[in-house]
Structure formats: structure tokens, C-alpha cells
Amino acid sequence: MPLTVADIQAPIAAEMELFEQKFKGQMKSDVMLLDQIMNYIVKRKGKQLRPMFVFLMAGVCGPISEATYRGASLIELLHTATLVHDDVVDESNYRRGFFSINALWKNKVAVLVGDYLLSRGLLLSVDNNDFDLLRIVSTAVRELSEGELLQLYKARRLDITEDIYYEIIRQKTASLIAACCAVGARSVGADKELVDQAHNFGEKVGIAFQIKDDLFDYGTAEVGKPLGIDIKEKKMTLPLIYALNKSSFLEKRRIINIIKNESEKPKKVNEVIAFVKNSGGIEYATEAMNRYVAEAQALLNAFPDSPYRQSLHQLVQYTIDRSK
């Protein structure tokens, strides 16, 4: 029977419940419109994997402290701010099956809400002298922005190599999970060596997580994001990069032409999906994902054994076994 989030959360169930209460309090505002929007954001939260990484890594490295709660809140506030801004940039009307902030309250309000969340996170850290935690998370947000911009630039040219692909996903996805683990370790007073180890572990998990996301584009799970969405958005993912590298010059030119000029046509998108599957792109990406998972698990085994460490092992497995 597959593990559920509740099973994985077991060692930190009480902390997660308390975190939810504290986080709700930090989202409150005296401005009625803002308070209404904050309530809406809190109600549509996802599985809360990021706070779980923070609390479990904190538990691995030492007794969970008040700084751990603030670190988890800082991550959630800054990450939510980037998501609200992303939906404006992408002109997206939905987020996790709910209407996005910009869809309900328009772009101007959404941008200001993102700014508000960002300021709440910064003040939470500054007011409590959590400068180490703020440095870790701010670095991740900077990398996330750089990764997004690099991907946008490369989408215009469609010349992404495997090295550039890994750099994009390291910055765009892995940096935040790495920050969660580093914040968890630092919040309980871990030294630089231990914090770096936690960061490296999170980075490898984040890379595996993104490769799993790439695989959803090719229908490797019954549930997930819509088929071919990355192709339509001209995103060069690992299965596609591998398939193009293995193809002849003419075949490569044909596929790139489809992505550049015909990615709105479902029949043409299906051609690209079939090309990737027939070229071994799915198997190649799956092997790469499993390699990063094995490296992450090996790094985790260097920490002392505990129920927290066992749950982190399970959480890593959950991120690649998930169906959406």
C-alpha cells in the first residue's frame, strides 16, 4: 500500500498542526481586502511538502525550535509570493485547481499581494534576527528568478544542452527544496558543514522532483498535468533533449520546427511525444531521476538514524512515486 502524506508526517504531526495555526496568524491583515485574499490563499494550500522538509530536517539535526517555525513560514511566504507573481506573468487563471489571485482580483491586486507576502517574510526574519535563515531563502529566490529567466531566454532559441537543462532546474526547482533543508538544519543551530550537507541533499531531491515533473508531460502517469504542456510552452526537458541528441540532423530539424511553429496543434504535439518515446527519452530521464534519488538517499544516510530521517527517506520516495 503506497505511503500517504499523513504517514510520512507522523513524527512531526503536532508541529505541522501548530505551524498551520502560526502561519494563519502571520497572514492576517487589518486591510479587509488583503485579509480576504490571505484567507483564500491559506484555504487552498497544497500538500505542504516544503514545510515538511524544513521540520523533518530540523528534527534530524536537533530539537525543533521556534526558529524552525519561523523558517518554515519564511519559505512559505516567499514561495507563495513568487507563485502569485508567476500566475500574473503566465496569465494563468488556475493554481492547483482553484482560481488564481489574478483571475479573481485582477493583476494589479495580485502583484501587490505578492509584494505584501514578500514583505511579511522579510519582516518575520528581520524582527527575530533570523539573518542566517533569510540569507538562505533569499539566495534561493534569486536563483529561482535566474532559472526562470534562463529558461525563457533558451525557449526562444531551443538550444538547451543537458548541462544547461540541469542548471535551469537546479535554480528553478531544486534551489527551494535545498533551502528548505538548509533552513531546517540551521534553525536548530547546525554548523556550516551540516547545513551544506542538508542543502546538497535537498538539491538532489529537487532535481529528481523536476525530472519526474518532466516525465508527466509524456503520459507516464494516469493523473498529472495535461499531456504535452511543456512542448506547447516550448520547454526543453530531459527526455526531449536526449531524443534530439540521438536523432539525425533532418529529424532534429523537423522536431524543432514543430516545437517552434506548430506546438499549438495537438496532432503535432503527439508526434513529438511519440518521437521522444521511440528514441528512449523516457527511459533515459527515468534513470537520471533514480540516480539523483540514490545520491540523495546516500547523503541522508550520513545523518544519525531517527524517525525524522526515516520519514525524510519516505518523503524522497514519495516525490518520485507521486502521480501528480
Side-chain angles (χ1 to χ4, degrees), residues 11 56-57 59-61 303-313:
L56 287 172
M57 186 54 82
V60 164
C61 296
F303 290 95
D305 192 20
S306 68
Y308 301 106
R309 194 185 82 171
Q310 288 162 28
S311 276
L312 266 180
H313 275 299

Side-chain angles (χ1 to χ4, degrees), residues 99-209:
F99 282 115
S100 60
I101 304 300
N102 50 296
L104 291 172
W105 286 282
K106 305 300 179 195
N107 286 350
K108 188 172 183 179
V109 170
V111 170
L112 292 169
V113 164
D115 293 346
Y116 173 77
L117 290 164
L118 183 63
S119 68
R120 286 305 293 254
L122 297 174
L123 283 169
L124 177 65
S125 294
V126 171
D127 289 347
N128 291 282
N129 295 320
D130 294 330
F131 298 113
D132 284 355
L133 307 187
L134 185 56
R135 184 178 291 107
I136 292 166
V137 180
S138 297
T139 301
V141 173
R142 187 204 75 210
E143 289 201 302
L144 198 151
S145 306
E146 287 175 348
E148 287 282 5
L149 286 164
L150 180 58
Q151 187 172 58
L152 281 170
Y153 171 68
K154 289 294 181 180
R156 292 175 188 165
R157 299 163 60 101
L158 296 182
D159 62 348
I160 291 182
T161 61
E162 214 170 292
D163 285 350
I164 292 172
Y165 163 81
Y166 278 116
E167 182 57 17
I168 288 171
I169 68 168
R170 186 193 65 74
Q171 291 186 310
K172 205 184 110 180
T173 304
S175 63
L176 197 65
I177 296 177
C180 291
C181 297
V183 161
R186 188 67 198 122
S187 73
V188 296
D191 62 21
K192 186 182 183 302
E193 190 181 339
L194 217 52
V195 171
D196 287 347
Q197 197 175 318
H199 187 279
N200 291 342
F201 159 75
E203 189 168 277
K204 289 186 185 297
V205 176
I207 290 170
F209 183 95

Side-chain angles (χ1 to χ4, degrees), residues 2 5 21-22 29 41 65-66 69 85 98 105 150 166 189 193 201 208 222 239 245 253 262 264 291 311 322:
V5 172
Q21 293 167 22
K22 285 175 181 281
S29 168
I41 289 172
S65 68
E66 273 302 312
Y69 289 93
H85 285 161
F98 293 90
W105 286 282
L150 180 58
Y166 278 116
E193 190 181 339
F201 159 75
E222 289 174 22
N245 285 341
R253 194 168 69 175
E262 300 182 279
E264 292 304 312
R291 190 169 65 248
S311 276
R322 67 199 162 97

Side-chain angles (χ1 to χ4, degrees), residues 207-309:
I207 290 170
F209 183 95
Q210 185 57 52
I211 296 173
K212 176 69 174 184
D213 232 41
D214 293 350
L215 287 165
F216 283 140
D217 211 45
Y218 297 91
T220 55
E222 289 174 22
V223 186
K225 62 185 184 183
L227 206 63
I229 197 85
D230 286 338
I231 297 165
K232 287 170 193 159
E233 291 177 0
K234 300 176 174 53
K235 286 179 184 169
M236 298 287 279
T237 58
L238 189 58
L240 178 58
I241 291 166
Y242 175 80
L244 287 170
N245 285 341
K246 294 283 286 181
S247 64
S248 66
F249 173 76
L250 287 176
E251 182 75 337
K252 186 174 184 177
R253 194 168 69 175
R254 183 181 77 84
I255 295 297
I256 285 177
N257 182 59
I258 290 173
I259 297 166
K260 267 187 178 172
N261 304 309
E262 300 182 279
S263 61
E264 292 304 312
K265 299 175 184 173
K267 191 179 171 188
K268 290 292 182 182
V269 168
N270 287 336
E271 268 186 55
V272 178
I273 290 170
F275 160 75
V276 170
K277 286 182 173 177
N278 294 335
S279 304
I282 305 301
E283 292 80 2
Y284 181 79
T286 303
E287 279 174 26
M289 177 184 74
N290 289 332
R291 190 169 65 248
Y292 275 99
V293 167
E295 288 173 8
Q297 302 285 32
L299 279 170
L300 189 54
N301 282 334
F303 290 95
D305 192 20
S306 68
Y308 301 106
R309 194 185 82 171

Side-chain angles (χ1 to χ4, degrees), residues 62-86:
I64 290 167
S65 68
E66 273 302 312
T68 310
Y69 289 93
R70 293 195 299 270
S73 291
L74 171 63
I75 295 261
E76 283 296 88
L77 286 163
L78 266 60
H79 179 58
T80 307
T82 64
L83 295 182
V84 171
H85 285 161
D86 279 353

